Amino acid sequence: MTRKLLSDYGMFLVLLLLCVLFSVLTLKEQIPEGSAAPARLIEQINNEFKKSDTILVVGAVNKDSASFVEKLGEELVKEGFNNTKVVVGVPRDLLLALDDIRAKRGGLAAIAISGDVTKWRVIEHIPEKYPEFSGCKVLAPKSYLWPDFLKRSNLLAIVDRIVVIAVIAIGVTMVIITAGIDLSVGSLIALSAVIGTLLMKKMGGLQAPGWVVLVGFLVGILSCGIVGGLGGFVVARFKVAPFITTLGIMMMARGLAFMITGGFSIYQVPRALPWLGQGRSLGIPNTVILLVVLYVAAHIFMAHTRMGRYIYAVGGNEEAARLSGVPVKFVIVFVYVISSLAAGLGGCIQASQLNTGTPNIGIMYELYVIAAVVVGGTSLSGGSGRILGTLIGAFIISVIQNGMNLLGIESYTQQVVLGAVILGAVLLDKAHSGGSLPGLLRKKI
Amino acid sequence: MRASISSHEGCSHILLQMLTCASSPAEPVLYIVIMMAKNPKRCNSLLLEMLQIDKSFPGVHALKNVSMKLRSSEVLGLVGENGAGKSTLIKVLGGAHLPDSGSILIEGQSVHILSPTAAQQAGVSIIYQEFNLIPDLTVRENIFLGREKTRMGFVRATEEHRETLQLFSKIGINIDANARCSELTVAQQQTVEIAKALSVNAKIIVMDEPTATLTTQEVEHLFAIIRDLKSHGLGIIYISHRLDEIFEVADRAMVLRDGEHVGTQDINDITCEKLIEMMVGRPIESEFPKRAARPGRERLRAEELCRGRAVRNVSFSVRAGEVLGFAGLVGAGRTETVRLIFGADKPDKGRIFIDGRKTNIRSPGDAIRNRICLLTEDRKGQGLVLIHSCRENFGLPNLDRLVRGMFLDQRRERKEFSGFVESLKIKISSHEQLTMNLSGGNQQKVVLAKWLARNADIVIFDEPTRGIDVGTKYEIHLLMNRLADEGKAIIMISSELPEILGMSDRIIVMHEGRIKGEITDVENTTQEDILSMAIA
């Protein structure tokens, strides 16, 4: 039982371990930010100061810090502290504000600051520079221990980094389960992105309404689907090796993307373009919603529909599948079309994230996608694999990259480590399916 | 007591040989007496002892305290149904499996066989059904593969060649040592395997179903080689489903059933019926259950089917409730013909009528929709997706029936399969067991289940009982009869003449792609009649 769980979800365990590892390594003092944090500070000010005291509220110029400070100022005024002054800016703005108070010969009871401001060195120098304010208290939100890795913004960044690869990996998983391979997806990202954005530009550019973006996306995705269908046809009808077929398509699609744009990026795209890649619905990033919906749908498709079962059967034994009445050629064309459509969608997401269509995006992505699929437990020899495993595989890659960024490891080292981890993960998977890791090492080949 | 008898036999065998080749009769007798006095173990020496071997796999207790003994100059026939544990026992001996407990003694010395290489060093050579020859290397290169004779890194081809020829002359075979293995016949490849085994000084040779793909003459030749090996003092373990071969070549027969050692009998002390009873665990009345044929209207008619040289102008028809047997030599075009009917290959020309209506069958899918199904001869390569579970294999041709809306009705799939597991007595640990881990008989039952669930009108069996044990064979024959009684049209291809004669209501004999003749009076036909039609 345990063994079965391990072999099915061993990679999930690896992902969890990686998360724990990076959480421990990036554990740091954190200071609350954002609009929800001020409550405790207000309570403190209410207890210690009179309503007539002058209180300076200082925040840095970034979204979290500013919203924290503005909320704090608002609440203080509401509580009756009418001499509250709010300053959002750089250290110099703080000094200017202090000069201003001194010029008016006012007193200063307290300076309330956001987490980011605690790092400003001017705060320490206030007593020497402004002896008249030496009695004022500096109030900051209380810090707590929390890993950088597990911060909401970082977790979202992990998803952002991997969403394109994860979406494409759905299609490539299906291709690999039929014992094929698809090398063209990286180039199709670029093709879809440039076709889509070029169309948007022609249909009104910056001022174009939202539906133009939708049309651009659909045309970009469908053109990829057509290219993929051709590739699938060549594989199914003429029995050309998928590796060669998709290698050819990879080169052709990349070349086409450069031809269409003349080698330049496409700007003057509609203002609605970033909605998919950067926008949020109900407070959740659209990319996350898209990822969840696609993976749930793909999982149900593979596990609970006839076509899903056919895909496994074709990969497991093509001849037996054919003699059981499975329309093998149709299945093969189908998976390449799905893979290309997914690559097209990936291109749209990428274009939306970058707010432009560029012919040189997605280079090497096919290899990251294949790595994600294989780390996720899908066998390159076909017939077995899981969609949700692929999602885990994609996250393992993204988490490793993210964790190393947080730890400040340089990018060349990162590549070495990533490569080693991919190999290690696959070995570990072999060990699970064929006994223990020591057993694997002892086994004579 | 039994041991002494067979040792006596072993000695008399040598005695006989020496007598026949001796010039004067008096001397050799004396010589043998001296030899026996000096080395009393020479004649009946225990070559191999496997003691209390126990082996379990997840869900299966494959071997339960099995012990066996093999003497030198002896052929031990190892028999049992599929899944009885023969393969596991052999794999333990060959180092492919490690036993959970038990010990192995070779010539009285305890040995630990941890790998196939260790088995080879201990003097055990196993010749599997699938040969381990590399097709593009020559016979000589294959024989010396991994132990090339070299000088300063260069292969000494002439020396290897000379040794190969010596080896061949020793067992009396005549094969070009420089021929590529891919050019050899199956029988020749088998002899190369035997030569390879001898070249590493094997004392024990295990042959797993060696005659499955051989012609009658080739089988005779193989038996001659086996007798020769025996006379050189080797011990041979011979595994076969063909009991007549066991009676012809073996000295003793060892029976396994459900992982247990049921008994070992001297071949002269046992009858074929008794042996089958030991294997199956119950008496079997007849291998071919009788049935009164009541053919109805014509179900399928093929006219002038052609495909290359394999199928030439084949026309025939089969009626409801009829078993039509296809006899002929391997390569006569029988399989190719039924593949055309099933849409697995495209005919060059020809017409197919189903229930009197001309029907175009372009793919197996079309055939299935026209209620035809084909159980292929090659179960592993064409019948099953080996890396998938029994349930998934069962569902594959039935998914169009098993959908509800967009999704598969997996509960119904399980329920239907459970029904077949029970009615066909399929031995599996769970529905999710991979079909690659099943014995041949159970694999064939899973294939049967997946097609029976389609409830087709025309059922084509291609070698339905090849490599399948006696008990399961009987069950499959019963099932074919039941299907015919239900009014289905049955086409059966078989290379076993007794099966063709015992099961068919009508027989078509093919030769080199053409129909050579048709036999309607099956009762009064002999194997020789069919054979003469099939060869000429």
Side-chain angles (χ1 to χ4, degrees):
Chain A
M1 191 63 204
T2 334
R3 170 158 287 182
K4 174 155 170 51
L5 272 179
L6 272 180
S7 64
D8 279 7
Y9 299 103
M11 280 301 136
F12 186 63
L13 213 66
V14 171
L15 180 60
L16 276 184
L17 282 176
L18 280 171
C19 288
V20 170
L21 176 76
F22 286 125
S23 297
V24 171
L25 289 178
T26 62
L27 202 60
K28 264 204 331 222
E29 288 270 312
Q30 307 281 352
I31 294 155
E33 303 278 7
S35 53
R40 216 192 51 81
L41 263 187
I42 291 166
E43 202 188 311
Q44 194 185 354
I45 293 170
N46 247 335
N47 291 341
E48 295 182 22
F49 302 99
K50 297 198 288 282
K51 302 281 184 196
S52 58
D53 284 340
T54 306
I55 290 161
L56 189 58
V57 179
V58 187
V61 200
N62 66 52
K63 216 173 127 213
D64 281 341
S65 184
S67 71
F68 168 81
V69 167
E70 269 155 25
K71 178 90 178 171
L72 182 59
E74 241 171 69
E75 294 285 320
L76 284 177
V77 173
K78 231 186 264 171
E79 292 283 329
F81 292 91
N82 289 318
N83 293 329
T84 302
K85 267 187 71 124
V86 176
V87 176
V88 176
V90 292
R92 184 161 165 72
D93 293 316
L94 169 61
L95 297 179
L96 286 176
L98 289 172
D99 285 343
D100 192 41
I101 294 168
R102 187 161 60 178
K104 286 178 184 162
R105 302 203 163 270
L108 185 58
I111 306 177
I113 57 177
S114 74
D116 284 357
V117 178
T118 52
K119 292 166 203 150
W120 292 4
R121 305 206 41 197
V122 283
I123 301 284
E124 297 162 32
H125 299 309
I126 289 173
E128 7 174 325
K129 278 192 176 168
Y130 301 92
E132 53 273 58
F133 298 151
S134 57
C136 92
K137 268 191 149 177
V138 177
L139 306 171
K142 206 178 162 202
S143 66
Y144 59 99
L145 263 183
W146 189 251
D148 275 348
F149 179 79
L150 287 183
K151 279 163 85 173
R152 186 184 150 86
S153 57
N154 187 58
L155 292 178
L156 291 178
I158 293 176
V159 179
D160 246 26
R161 274 291 292 268
I162 203 62
V163 63
V164 174
I165 285 173
V167 164
I168 300 170
I170 293 176
V172 174
T173 306
M174 293 182 193
V175 171
I176 291 182
I177 289 175
T178 65
I181 194 91
D182 192 348
L183 298 178
S184 66
V185 289
S187 301
L188 290 179
I189 292 176
L191 189 65
S192 152
V194 300
I195 288 179
T197 49
L198 193 67
L199 195 70
M200 292 174 208
K201 188 181 166 186
K202 300 272 183 206
M203 284 176 75
L206 269 176
Q207 310 306 328
W211 62 267
V212 168
V213 175
L214 198 66
V215 169
F217 280 170
L218 282 179
V219 172
I221 294 172
L222 285 179
S223 7
C224 287
I226 292 168
V227 175
L230 284 175
F233 179 75
V234 170
V235 172
R237 176 71 181 78
F238 301 110
K239 308 261 176 227
V240 178
F243 189 94
I244 296 300
T245 310
T246 56
L247 185 70
I249 291 177
M250 170 180 133
M251 293 174 171
M252 278 160 40
R254 178 71 63 190
L256 272 176
F258 275 101
M259 276 164 64
I260 290 169
T261 58
F264 298 106
S265 298
I266 296 164
Y267 296 103
Q268 287 147 346
V269 285
R271 293 215 166 80
L273 177 61
W275 179 83
L276 178 64
Q278 301 171 26
R280 285 165 186 248
S281 305
L282 304 170
I284 306 167
N286 291 333
T287 46
V288 176
I289 298 174
L290 184 72
L291 208 56
V292 171
V293 168
L294 286 178
Y295 266 91
V296 168
H299 173 75
I300 291 174
F301 174 76
M302 288 303 277
H304 296 281
T305 71
R306 197 170 146 192
M307 195 62 187
R309 197 74 82 75
Y310 282 175
I311 290 172
Y312 281 106
V314 166
N317 184 342
E318 191 177 319
E319 184 63 5
R322 192 173 78 93
L323 293 177
S324 296
V326 175
V328 172
K329 287 185 179 134
F330 177 76
V331 172
I332 290 178
V333 174
F334 178 85
V335 291
Y336 284 96
V337 169
I338 291 286
S339 168
S340 308
L341 289 176
L345 178 58
C348 295
I349 298 169
Q350 187 83 308
S352 177
Q353 283 179 332
L354 302 173
N355 204 15
T356 175
T358 309
N360 59 8
I361 53 173
I363 288 174
M364 289 265 288
Y365 270 39
E366 57 277 350
L367 301 183
Y368 282 106
V369 168
I370 292 167
V373 175
V374 172
V375 169
T378 297
S379 152
L380 280 177
S381 48
S384 68
R386 268 166 230 273
I387 287 285
L388 294 184
T390 297
L391 183 63
I392 293 168
F395 268 97
I396 286 180
I397 290 176
S398 182
V399 161
I400 292 167
Q401 284 182 332
N402 176 272
M404 288 192 295
N405 278 335
L406 291 181
L407 295 176
I409 295 170
E410 70 166 325
S411 68
Y412 304 131
T413 322
Q414 284 195 13
Q415 292 204 17
V416 176
V417 175
L418 187 64
V421 169
I422 288 171
L423 273 182
V426 175
L427 272 178
L428 202 67
D429 196 44
K430 269 257 181 294
H432 278 310
S433 47
S436 61
L437 190 59
L440 193 74
L441 291 176
R442 258 188 279 115
K443 191 173 173 183
K444 281 185 194 152
I445 312 290
Chain B
M1 183 61 200
R2 202 185 304 136
S4 74
I5 289 173
S6 57
S7 81
H8 173 73
E9 268 189 2
C11 283
S12 59
H13 185 83
I14 291 175
L15 184 74
L16 201 71
Q17 253 197 339
M18 299 203 133
L19 279 174
T20 46
C21 63
S23 49
S24 114
E27 275 174 37
V29 176
L30 191 70
Y31 177 76
I32 289 163
V33 171
I34 293 167
M35 195 189 77
M36 286 182 70
K38 272 172 96 173
N39 186 2
K41 277 202 221 148
R42 173 65 187 85
C43 301
N44 65 335
S45 71
L46 262 181
L47 202 51
L48 168 74
E49 257 186 299
M50 293 177 84
L51 296 172
Q52 313 269 313
I53 303 287
D54 210 88
K55 175 78 187 169
S56 288
F57 296 107
V60 193
H61 198 168
L63 290 175
K64 300 168 192 162
N65 275 324
V66 174
S67 299
M68 78 178 294
K69 281 178 187 157
L70 177 70
R71 300 184 180 86
S72 58
S73 300
E74 178 188 54
V75 178
L76 177 70
L78 183 56
V79 295
E81 293 188 271
N82 284 319
K86 296 173 307 216
S87 306
T88 314
L89 187 66
I90 290 317
K91 282 181 177 162
V92 167
L93 181 61
H97 288 324
L98 289 182
D100 297 336
S101 67
S103 53
I104 300 174
L105 281 76
I106 291 180
E107 290 180 328
Q109 304 282 315
S110 171
V111 288
H112 291 281
I113 297 179
L114 301 174
S115 70
T117 331
Q120 208 177 66
Q121 281 159 0
V124 178
S125 269
I126 298 185
I127 297 167
Y128 291 105
Q129 275 169 286
E130 289 87 24
F131 301 134
N132 288 318
L133 298 175
I134 296 172
D136 283 332
L137 293 186
T138 65
V139 171
R140 167 181 63 80
E141 284 164 339
N142 263 298
I143 286 178
F144 285 94
L145 190 65
R147 327 169 278 114
E148 288 79 5
K149 299 218 171 282
T150 55
R151 180 187 289 152
M152 294 168 65
F154 294 97
V155 175
R156 299 167 71 184
T158 35
E159 198 182 322
E160 284 187 9
H161 192 82
R162 206 181 56 236
E163 279 195 30
T164 308
L165 293 185
Q166 275 174 8
L167 215 54
F168 283 179
S169 67
K170 197 165 146 195
I171 46 175
I173 54 176
N174 186 17
I175 296 174
D176 178 7
N178 289 320
R180 287 185 194 288
C181 280
S182 54
E183 297 162 4
L184 303 181
T185 65
V186 177
Q188 285 174 324
Q189 291 185 26
Q190 198 170 48
T191 39
V192 172
E193 284 268 13
I194 294 171
K196 192 176 168 183
L198 291 179
S199 75
V200 294
N201 290 321
K203 286 172 276 196
I204 299 155
I205 294 185
V206 183
M207 297 184 187
D208 190 2
E209 292 280 349
T211 57
T213 48
L214 300 190
T215 63
T216 322
Q217 290 102 321
E218 287 169 337
V219 172
E220 279 310 315
H221 190 208
L222 177 72
F223 285 173
I225 294 175
I226 290 177
R227 291 193 187 100
D228 193 52
L229 294 176
K230 206 167 98 170
S231 71
H232 283 86
L234 273 79
I236 291 151
I237 300 174
Y238 187 93
I239 303 173
S240 183
H241 283 303
R242 300 186 180 171
L243 297 184
D244 49 335
E245 291 176 1
I246 299 287
F247 279 93
E248 189 172 341
V249 80
D251 300 308
R252 289 186 303 145
M254 169 171 170
V255 183
L256 287 178
R257 186 173 74 226
D258 296 331
E260 276 175 280
H261 183 187
V262 184
T264 302
Q265 293 281 326
D266 203 289
I267 210 72
N268 300 321
D269 298 347
I270 191 168
T271 61
C272 190
E273 288 71 37
K274 179 77 183 123
L275 197 60
I276 292 175
E277 206 178 308
M278 280 170 78
M279 287 164 63
V280 185
R282 62 189 149 77
I284 284 186
E285 304 87 41
S286 154
E287 226 184 313
F288 304 107
K290 281 289 162 219
R291 166 186 73 90
R294 281 186 302 273
R297 66 200 159 80
E298 176 189 279
R299 263 276 150 76
L300 172 83
R301 186 167 84 248
E303 286 183 358
E304 295 169 0
L305 287 180
C306 291
R307 182 179 162 87
R309 297 179 57 80
V311 182
R312 296 187 249 181
N313 255 330
V314 170
S315 305
F316 67 92
S317 72
V318 56
R319 295 192 283 171
E322 183 185 41
V323 178
L324 174 66
F326 267 80
L329 301 177
V330 173
R334 299 168 299 166
T335 299
E336 289 79 357
T337 303
V338 295
R339 278 176 68 91
L340 292 182
I341 302 231
F342 191 61
D345 297 320
K346 287 197 174 56
D348 299 337
K349 71 184 190 72
R351 294 173 301 279
I352 294 166
F353 297 85
I354 292 169
D355 289 331
R357 247 175 320 108
K358 185 170 185 302
T359 312
N360 264 330
I361 297 175
R362 268 179 253 98
S363 68
D366 278 352
I368 292 169
R369 279 184 286 279
N370 281 299
R371 306 177 65 79
I372 303 176
C373 68
L374 166 67
L375 284 82
T376 55
E377 57 176 336
D378 178 6
R379 277 189 298 278
K380 292 181 179 179
Q382 302 178 338
L384 292 169
V385 183
L386 290 176
I387 58 170
H388 288 173
S389 70
C390 300
R391 175 181 57 83
E392 284 169 319
N393 270 290
F394 165 78
L396 197 55
N398 295 300
L399 293 183
D400 56 337
R401 295 189 303 108
L402 293 171
V403 283
R404 198 165 51 188
M406 277 174 66
F407 302 111
L408 292 176
D409 187 349
Q410 300 195 8
R411 187 183 300 168
R412 212 175 97 207
E413 183 183 36
R414 271 188 215 102
K415 213 177 122 197
E416 278 193 17
F417 186 47
S418 296
F420 283 107
V421 169
E422 209 170 294
S423 65
L424 296 176
K425 301 189 203 92
I426 309 180
K427 280 183 221 152
I428 48 175
S429 58
S430 87
H431 286 189
E432 304 308 315
Q433 191 175 5
L434 299 187
T435 44
M436 62 194 274
N437 296 332
L438 298 181
S439 67
N442 280 316
Q443 283 180 341
Q444 184 71 319
K445 283 179 176 180
V446 173
V447 176
L448 270 172
K450 84 176 195 181
W451 289 118
L452 288 180
R454 287 241 47 123
N455 197 20
D457 292 330
I458 301 158
V459 188
I460 307 171
F461 292 88
D462 192 355
E463 302 284 359
T465 58
R466 172 183 288 175
I468 284 179
D469 56 82
V470 192
T472 312
K473 227 174 187 170
Y474 184 72
E475 287 172 32
I476 290 174
H477 290 150
L478 274 180
L479 187 80
M480 284 168 75
N481 282 346
R482 206 189 75 210
L483 291 176
D485 285 341
E486 286 170 7
K488 298 182 190 312
I490 312 275
I491 298 174
M492 181 190 73
I493 297 177
S494 176
S495 296
E496 281 187 45
L497 292 176
E499 186 176 41
I500 283 279
L501 285 170
M503 292 301 300
S504 315
D505 300 321
R506 193 153 57 88
I507 299 167
I508 286 178
V509 185
M510 285 187 75
H511 176 67
E512 290 185 349
R514 292 176 209 280
I515 290 186
K516 199 64 189 290
E518 190 178 320
I519 298 163
T520 42
D521 183 15
V522 179
E523 293 283 313
N524 299 315
T525 308
T526 63
Q527 294 189 27
E528 286 70 31
D529 296 339
I530 296 180
L531 209 58
S532 61
M533 269 172 113
I535 290 168

